[in-house]
Amino acid sequence: MRNKNGFSNLYLVLVFAVLYAPIFYLMYYSFNSGGTMHEFEGFTLDYYREVIQDTRLIIIVINTLVIALLSSAIATLIAIVGALAIQRTRSRRAKNSLLSLNNVLIVSPDVIIGASFLILFTIVGIKLGFVSVLLSHVAFSVPIAVLMILPHLQDMSPTLTDAAHDLGASRRDVLTKVILPIIKPGIFSGFFMALTYSLDDFAVTFFVTGNGYSTLSVEIYSRARQGVSLSINALSTMIFLFTILLVVGYYFLTRRKHRPRIAEPVAELGVPR
Amino acid sequence: MKQLVNTFLAILVVAFALMYLGSWMNSNEGYSGSNTLTIYNWGDYIEPELLKEFEAETGITVIYQTFDSNEAMLTKVEQGGTTFDVVIPSDYAIAKMREEKLLLPLDHSKLPNLVNIDPRFMDLSFDPGNEYSVPYFWGTVGIIYNPEMTKGMNFDSWDSLWDSRLKNNILLVDGAREVMGMALNSLHYSVNDQNEAHLQAALTKLNKLSPNVKAIVGDEIKMLLANEEAAVGIVWSGDAAEIMDENDKLDYIVPQEGSNKWFDNMVIPRTAANVDGAHQFINFMLRPDVAAKNAEYVGYSTPNVPALKLLPAEVSEDTRFYPPATLTDRLEVYDNLGKRMLAHYNELFLKFKMNK
């Protein structure tokens, strides 16, 4: 038994090493005064200064955050309604087809989604920029959020809503006092999933940005074609540290509440990308 | 429920606060305003100072966006969506845009500085009479080589590439026109040759080159050559200049049989919103001092004659990048061969790649 444990620990360490090594490699060279990722010459904070002084880059970071927050919030709202509608569908066949359609959108290649959006927006006459990026991010986030919320709806016992009805709750009360609190974990995981999708999406965004409006992934890509400048390393380091801070903060917040958390079955399910 | 609503509101508040911050920074930087000019150019293809200078002189705010290939640029311009005022595509892309009626004719009376452009680079096949385009930078396709690794070999002729000493030591750029053109040139045919027998001969000759070819690569060719991964590469002169900047051991030459000369020209798309500003910008870029400053930063060859005098002699007298008329006359621009011929070129190139 011990032996087996030792092996699995080793395996875990390996997996994490593979996952984190590139990030630490990148962080290490963000302090390189040599200007390249070949040799480490000396310590410098020049690239961090460069990032902070680059207003265009900061604006792009802000754009990215705004898009991520807004799009995942809107997508989650739509997904709640969508998941409820799918759950309510009586016919098994219709339900399955709706679910499959939802899944097709998740596995379909981003490039195709992006190209279709580009064509759609230009036909409809929406100017490329903030609105087009927001709309497409909402669109590709909805199916993911639906998938996160649906299992919670399915786990919910129908007797709960029946009981609520019997006790005289209005439809609205059933929704706000019974259903939503129960599926709350799903709503949050849906929101955070959508958030990460939106933050790192390149393929779709690439097609629908325009008029000087850009997000971080697109900007880094176009800069990388000229060779990756170390200021990108510095920026990545800052974003990485910021994310870690958020995660640690979240961890302590949840710990303080001393609430035994129910294991979320969905959280363990990977979503195909 | 309450927690849900609160969280949602908090998210919205944060998002809108960020949005406000973003637009505040935008207006502080002057990115949003009514008098703007949107420029769509290759990545890192202009001296950033010049944009500021232009803004200061005209009061027009420049929105600068970049693309990485003519094809990407074409898609964006064709789709509309964004209104670009000045775009800087390459020669064949200009021919295509002209054909598809994507361009506005230039008002030459608004471009007095056009006289600065070398007549050699005006009125070319992709845009007769420069009705739609004005030269920005130009260059050639040639051989970059590492004298240390090739031990005194002479690359005056394309044929030198077939030398068995170069076994597995040549990098080709992944372009059908470039590679086929090189083979056609080595047989003393035109880079625009449409004769089937000539094309087949070129393919046969290319196949014989296979043992020497190490790889056919894209943009990474610059890094590979600078790191001395191969002794010889077929590249555009602009890339060559960049590679030699990083590794000064290397040298560049345009073989005597002839080659391609390429152009990146400024055009105004039909959808442009600020046509007047676009003309002002083009005229500004044609000013000798501006063109010289730009050429110094970008490192490509400027077609601007008075600008040459402002450049350091070691640059303007470098015949590798500013070849004399005797050589440039022998160089050809890629003609627009039409869809079918182009597909045939691609097919032959693919056959060569598969044989490799």
Side-chain angles (χ1 to χ4, degrees):
Chain A
M1 198 63 200
R2 265 191 78 82
N3 213 345
K4 205 175 161 194
N5 248 339
F7 184 74
S8 66
N9 279 344
L10 183 75
Y11 179 75
L12 207 62
V13 168
L14 260 178
V15 168
F16 274 97
V18 168
L19 286 179
Y20 278 85
I23 297 176
F24 285 124
Y25 181 77
L26 183 141
M27 287 165 79
Y28 177 66
Y29 277 104
S30 70
F31 299 108
N32 182 13
S33 64
T36 61
M37 296 241 273
H38 308 309
E39 283 160 63
F40 196 89
E41 279 178 20
F43 179 85
T44 177
L45 284 175
D46 282 358
Y47 301 104
Y48 289 87
R49 218 164 290 138
E50 212 173 275
V51 168
I52 291 165
Q53 282 166 357
D54 190 344
T55 25
R56 202 176 106 80
L57 197 60
I58 305 272
I59 289 174
I60 286 170
V61 172
I62 291 176
N63 285 348
T64 314
L65 288 175
V66 169
I67 287 284
L69 287 173
L70 276 185
S71 74
S72 21
I74 298 171
T76 316
L77 281 187
I78 298 176
I80 294 172
V81 180
L84 282 172
I86 292 179
Q87 181 67 13
R88 292 254 171 102
T89 312
R90 287 279 156 76
S91 139
R92 214 183 156 72
R93 200 187 235 173
K95 199 173 185 175
N96 275 338
S97 353
L98 282 175
L99 260 176
S100 315
L101 283 177
N102 186 60
N103 289 346
V104 165
L105 280 181
I106 292 178
V107 291
S108 67
D110 284 3
V111 187
I112 291 173
I113 296 181
S116 333
F117 270 117
L118 177 60
I119 295 167
L120 175 74
F121 289 142
T122 45
I123 289 176
V124 178
I126 294 177
K127 258 192 148 195
L128 295 184
F130 174 70
V131 177
S132 65
V133 176
L134 182 68
L135 285 180
S136 43
H137 277 224
V138 168
F140 72 67
S141 300
V142 168
I144 303 157
V146 167
L147 210 65
M148 295 279 122
I149 295 170
L150 212 52
H152 288 267
L153 272 178
Q154 276 160 355
D155 283 351
M156 187 178 72
S157 161
T159 49
L160 280 172
T161 45
D162 291 346
H165 277 302
D166 290 346
L167 291 170
S170 67
R171 279 172 156 237
R172 210 191 121 165
D173 282 342
V174 174
L175 181 68
T176 56
K177 300 226 164 93
V178 181
I179 299 180
L180 284 182
I182 290 179
I183 62 170
K184 200 171 72 186
I187 294 175
F188 278 119
S189 51
F191 172 78
F192 284 113
M193 208 64 179
L195 195 72
T196 56
Y197 264 50
S198 167
L199 274 179
D200 74 0
D201 177 76
F202 168 73
V204 177
T205 319
F206 177 72
F207 283 96
V208 294
T209 43
N211 279 336
Y213 192 86
S214 181
T215 67
L216 203 57
S217 55
V218 178
E219 178 68 14
I220 289 181
Y221 173 78
S222 68
R223 287 189 185 204
R225 299 208 47 114
Q226 308 297 325
V228 181
S229 151
L230 290 188
S231 56
I232 294 296
N233 290 25
L235 179 68
S236 312
T237 308
M238 279 152 76
I239 292 176
F240 180 74
L241 291 180
F242 180 67
T243 338
I244 286 204
L245 268 180
L246 279 188
V247 172
V248 171
Y250 180 75
Y251 173 76
F252 278 113
L253 274 181
T254 48
R255 277 255 315 233
R256 196 180 294 167
K257 282 181 186 161
H258 288 296
R259 242 190 245 153
R261 296 221 136 224
I262 310 156
E264 292 171 24
V266 254
E268 288 157 25
L269 278 178
V271 178
R273 173 112 221 213
Chain B
M1 183 63 198
K2 211 171 165 199
Q3 196 193 352
L4 267 179
V5 174
N6 283 346
T7 322
F8 188 74
L9 286 179
I11 291 164
L12 283 188
V13 167
V14 172
F16 282 112
L18 278 173
M19 221 162 131
Y20 178 76
L21 179 68
S23 68
W24 176 78
M25 283 175 85
N26 250 327
S27 58
N28 249 18
E29 285 292 300
Y31 287 137
S32 56
S34 51
N35 195 10
T36 58
L37 187 74
T38 315
I39 296 169
Y40 202 29
N41 195 356
W42 298 82
D44 206 16
Y45 209 36
I46 195 167
E47 154 81 89
E49 288 289 311
L50 289 175
L51 293 177
K52 282 186 195 137
E53 219 171 282
F54 176 73
E55 288 182 332
E57 271 178 37
T58 57
I60 296 174
T61 315
V62 172
I63 299 171
Y64 190 72
Q65 273 191 280
T66 56
F67 55 85
D68 51 57
S69 74
N70 281 302
E71 287 65 31
M73 176 277 305
L74 271 171
T75 334
K76 283 255 173 174
V77 172
E78 256 173 284
Q79 287 292 339
T82 314
T83 52
F84 297 113
D85 297 308
V86 179
V87 182
I88 303 172
S90 310
D91 37 39
Y92 71 94
I94 294 171
K96 202 167 167 217
M97 291 170 94
R98 224 177 42 143
E99 234 169 59
E100 291 172 12
K101 309 229 176 326
L102 290 173
L103 300 179
L104 276 185
L106 299 175
D107 184 349
H108 285 221
S109 68
K110 285 185 188 163
L111 304 172
N113 289 339
L114 199 55
V115 292
N116 295 334
I117 298 291
D118 192 327
R120 279 191 286 164
F121 306 132
M122 298 282 284
D123 195 22
L124 294 164
S125 65
F126 57 87
D127 185 24
N130 284 74
E131 198 185 340
Y132 297 98
S133 70
V134 171
Y136 183 71
F137 279 118
W138 71 284
T140 53
V141 171
I143 302 173
I144 185 164
Y145 62 98
N146 188 330
E148 277 177 17
M149 292 168 80
T150 51
K151 299 175 203 92
M153 282 181 67
N154 186 349
F155 291 96
D156 249 0
S157 156
W158 286 114
D159 277 330
S160 56
L161 294 177
W162 273 262
D163 194 310
S164 59
R165 278 178 288 177
L166 290 177
K167 194 162 166 35
N168 201 21
N169 231 341
I170 299 180
L171 291 177
L172 296 180
V173 73
D174 191 6
R177 290 302 297 267
E178 282 72 26
V179 175
M180 284 301 291
M182 169 202 88
L184 285 165
N185 273 147
S186 75
L187 293 164
H188 298 273
Y189 298 136
S190 154
V191 289
N192 297 312
D193 209 316
Q194 304 201 28
N195 181 318
E196 185 55 33
H198 294 174
L199 289 174
Q200 289 301 336
L203 177 63
T204 318
K205 185 145 192 199
L206 269 185
N207 283 336
K208 281 191 201 131
L209 184 66
S210 293
N212 285 0
V213 177
K214 183 167 188 166
I216 302 170
V217 289
D219 267 355
E220 59 274 29
I221 196 168
K222 291 191 246 176
M223 186 195 75
L224 292 173
L225 285 165
N227 291 346
E228 307 192 357
E229 295 282 340
V232 177
I234 310 292
V235 292
W236 291 283
S237 57
D239 285 355
E242 260 175 64
I243 298 166
M244 284 153 65
D245 226 27
E246 258 182 52
N247 188 338
D248 50 16
K249 276 186 233 157
L250 299 173
D251 208 351
Y252 177 77
I253 189 168
V254 180
Q256 291 303 312
E257 291 99 333
S259 178
N260 158 250
K261 59 180 169 194
W262 52 261
F263 289 86
D264 288 333
N265 283 17
M266 294 178 273
V267 301
I268 305 179
R270 206 193 41 201
T271 49
N274 189 352
V275 180
D276 205 51
H279 278 97
Q280 278 185 52
F281 180 77
I282 293 176
N283 198 43
F284 173 79
M285 291 311 294
L286 291 174
R287 234 168 56 191
D289 59 314
V290 173
K293 211 170 164 189
N294 203 20
E296 212 163 329
Y297 175 84
V298 178
Y300 284 34
S301 315
T302 175
N304 197 310
V305 183
L308 272 181
K309 296 200 184 82
L310 300 174
L311 283 171
E314 56 189 294
V315 175
S316 60
E317 282 166 17
D318 190 338
T319 50
R320 294 175 301 188
F321 298 109
Y322 292 97
T326 46
L327 179 66
T328 53
D329 288 348
R330 247 180 297 139
L331 304 180
E332 295 168 287
V333 177
Y334 291 136
D335 287 343
N336 187 5
L337 297 174
K339 245 186 192 153
R340 285 187 70 180
M341 214 7 137
L342 202 62
H344 190 48
Y345 264 71
N346 284 330
E347 193 188 327
L348 291 172
F349 181 53
L350 192 65
K351 272 189 188 163
F352 161 63
K353 280 211 264 189
M354 287 191 306
N355 263 343
K356 158 81 194 116

